[in-house]
Amino acid sequence: MFSRLYLHIPWCLSKCGYCAFNSQPLEPEKLEQTCDLLLREMEIAAKTYPVNQPLRSLYFGGGTPSLLDPEQISRLISRSQELFSHTSSIEITLEANPGTVNRDSLTGYYQSGVTRLSLGAQSFNDQMLQTLGRRHTAADTRSAFQLAQQAGFTSIGLDLICGLPEQTMAAWQQDLGEAVALQPDHLSVYGLTIEEETPFAGRYPIGSSMLPDHDLSANMLEEADSILTAAGYEHYEIANFARPGCRSQHNCGYWQRDGYLGIGPGAHSFLRQGWGIRWGNQSAFDLWSTSIQNNRLAAVEPQTLTRDDALSEHIFLGLRMADGISLDDFAEEFGERLELRFAEAIRQLQQAGLLTCSPDRLSLTKRGMLLSNQVFVRFI
Ligand code: SF4
């Protein structure tokens, strides 16, 4: 039913101006309580959902999971092993923000069993970081990266954002160059989106001259593709690049529709039962914590997928990856040929240069990766 576990830590030092994630400014006294509640939720979940296979990946996301200390992370990892068991090659990722880690904490995380660190660099330009409301500098990122290597981490990823207010192509190229110079084995590259109800939505309304226009933003993503692939990274998913063999196994699981259990406020779960069941937890910390304290899971409105839901998901999640979709796997799962059911859409998208279809796989072209939404709507 599930082979992956996600733990959500909802706290951050402060809220970044563009952020629409389920996170809130830190209340330090709640960190230990959060850790206890996550442990309790794992215990309730392990009794509720049959555990029929060991976990292949565990992911601490947020928020800022590196606000938990190594002892707390260690407790969560150990308990997940007791409750769900781990494969011997389990990938355990911790999202960390530069400026919240030091030599001791990084060493502690590594010794606790964290195998992979994902650093929220976002930019190497201090002015951009300030505009974003980040609490770290470029020097903090470089230092965190080096300290993580010294602590023993061999798998370190960086997140970057482009399309920032007043960002030029030259500034973006500089960011990419600085990131590559650190030689991370994984890079996630996102275009800034202005989300409703964030301070950025008021500061940078749609069409604001402060934001790079649509063409420049698209060119920035293309530039990321050419600089990073030239530097030896494979562009293996719309927003993700990795050295060969260094893909995020946990995130690949999402795109391959592996089952996963989400623990923590606002965390999402997907169980492989029938065509699949999805739900999210209560996102408000207080509602989530009240529910867990009362020994009740905090799931809200579970959705049982129909065959058509599962079929659409299989296509638009699978197409996110450069490997695309195996046409035979699709036929085996859904009992019909994808290339026949969507023959006309595939023909038109191929003609537009957005899709390629080999005898055994369907995948996005580079251009299709930039315009993926135009492709996905044709398969719903
Ligand atoms: S650190 Fe990340 S999760 Fe936290 S407020 Fe900033 S963008 Fe949001």
Side-chain angles (χ1 to χ4, degrees):
M1 285 177 103
F2 62 93
S3 59
R4 307 192 181 272
L5 185 68
Y6 172 84
L7 297 175
H8 188 77
I9 319 301
W11 308 106
C12 288
L13 288 179
S14 54
K15 191 83 180 166
C16 303
Y18 61 98
C19 178
F21 297 124
N22 187 37
S23 65
Q24 53 194 302
L26 176 64
E27 297 173 50
E29 70 286 357
K30 292 210 172 145
L31 278 178
E32 181 57 21
Q33 184 197 6
T34 304
C35 183
D36 285 343
L37 290 166
L38 292 171
L39 289 165
R40 178 106 61 106
E41 186 179 358
M42 277 199 278
E43 282 156 16
I44 306 169
K47 283 187 198 141
T48 310
Y49 305 110
V51 178
N52 55 9
Q53 54 187 319
L55 295 179
R56 297 157 66 197
S57 62
L58 167 56
Y59 194 103
F60 291 94
T64 305
S66 52
L67 290 174
L68 291 184
D69 64 34
E71 191 276 326
Q72 291 165 323
I73 293 292
S74 173
R75 245 188 294 157
L76 289 162
I77 293 175
S78 302
R79 194 70 183 120
S80 81
Q81 180 156 27
E82 287 160 9
L83 292 167
F84 305 109
S85 82
H86 291 172
T87 60
S88 57
S89 57
I90 186 171
E91 173 193 87
I92 303 183
T93 304
L94 181 87
E95 285 182 354
N97 276 329
T100 63
V101 290
N102 56 37
R103 186 182 299 277
D104 288 347
S105 64
L106 289 164
T107 304
Y109 295 141
Y110 183 70
Q111 289 172 348
S112 308
V114 176
T115 61
R116 185 171 176 274
L117 204 67
S118 175
L119 279 177
Q122 317 310 354
S123 171
F124 285 87
N125 177 312
D126 285 341
Q127 184 158 0
M128 292 290 167
L129 289 170
Q130 229 174 10
T131 302
L132 288 171
R134 304 290 301 186
R135 292 280 294 266
H136 66 267
T137 62
D140 291 331
T141 302
R142 287 188 208 98
S143 157
F145 194 95
Q146 278 149 11
L147 290 174
Q149 284 177 314
Q150 288 161 17
F153 284 101
T154 52
S155 180
I156 307 172
L158 295 176
D159 285 1
L160 292 177
I161 309 182
C162 64
L164 305 180
E166 301 189 89
Q167 189 177 38
T168 61
M169 179 61 93
W172 174 233
Q173 286 164 335
Q174 173 96 14
D175 271 351
L176 291 166
E178 298 235 22
V180 168
L182 288 174
Q183 301 186 347
D185 64 11
H186 192 278
L187 280 146
S188 298
V189 175
Y190 302 99
L192 178 71
T193 50
I194 305 293
E195 304 284 353
E196 280 176 30
E197 293 174 26
T198 61
F200 266 34
R203 224 178 293 161
Y204 307 108
I206 295 170
S208 164
S209 60
M210 309 273 279
L211 293 172
D213 63 24
H214 184 267
D215 286 349
L216 178 54
S217 297
N219 290 343
M220 286 178 173
L221 292 170
E222 279 180 315
E223 188 68 0
D225 176 71
S226 37
I227 289 183
L228 298 179
T229 50
Y233 294 90
E234 53 166 352
H235 191 169
Y236 74 98
E237 192 267 350
I238 288 174
N240 287 283
F241 299 79
R243 290 199 185 286
C246 299
R247 298 178 179 193
S248 161
Q249 294 307 311
H250 187 84
N251 289 335
C252 285
Y254 291 150
W255 302 313
Q256 291 158 355
R257 296 185 78 243
D258 291 349
Y260 55 88
L261 199 58
I263 299 288
H268 287 265
S269 299
F270 172 60
L271 294 191
R272 291 293 299 233
Q273 195 176 47
W275 292 110
I277 304 171
R278 291 192 180 276
W279 69 90
N281 277 351
Q282 291 279 8
S283 52
F285 182 83
D286 289 343
L287 291 176
W288 168 76
S289 69
T290 304
S291 187
I292 302 303
Q293 277 159 1
N294 290 323
N295 284 317
R296 274 187 290 108
L297 291 173
V300 187
E301 295 177 7
Q303 183 203 359
T304 302
L305 303 189
T306 62
R307 177 181 178 279
D308 276 352
D309 294 332
L311 187 146
S312 296
E313 275 192 11
H314 185 102
I315 296 172
F316 67 72
L317 289 173
L319 281 179
R320 292 192 64 91
M321 299 190 70
D323 297 342
I325 300 166
S326 154
L327 298 174
D328 287 345
D329 288 354
F330 182 94
E332 194 175 318
E333 181 155 3
F334 296 102
E336 64 176 318
R337 302 295 304 181
L338 169 62
E339 66 275 32
L340 296 182
R341 172 157 174 175
F342 293 100
E344 184 55 19
I346 291 171
R347 193 188 61 75
Q348 289 174 6
L349 290 164
Q350 274 182 298
Q351 237 170 22
L354 301 176
L355 268 187
T356 56
C357 191
S358 70
D360 56 347
R361 299 197 86 83
L362 185 72
S363 50
L364 293 176
T365 59
K366 294 262 183 202
R367 189 172 139 76
M369 280 197 169
L370 278 177
L371 300 170
S372 54
N373 287 339
Q374 291 183 21
V375 177
F376 297 157
V377 291
R378 302 297 307 275
F379 291 99
I380 292 173

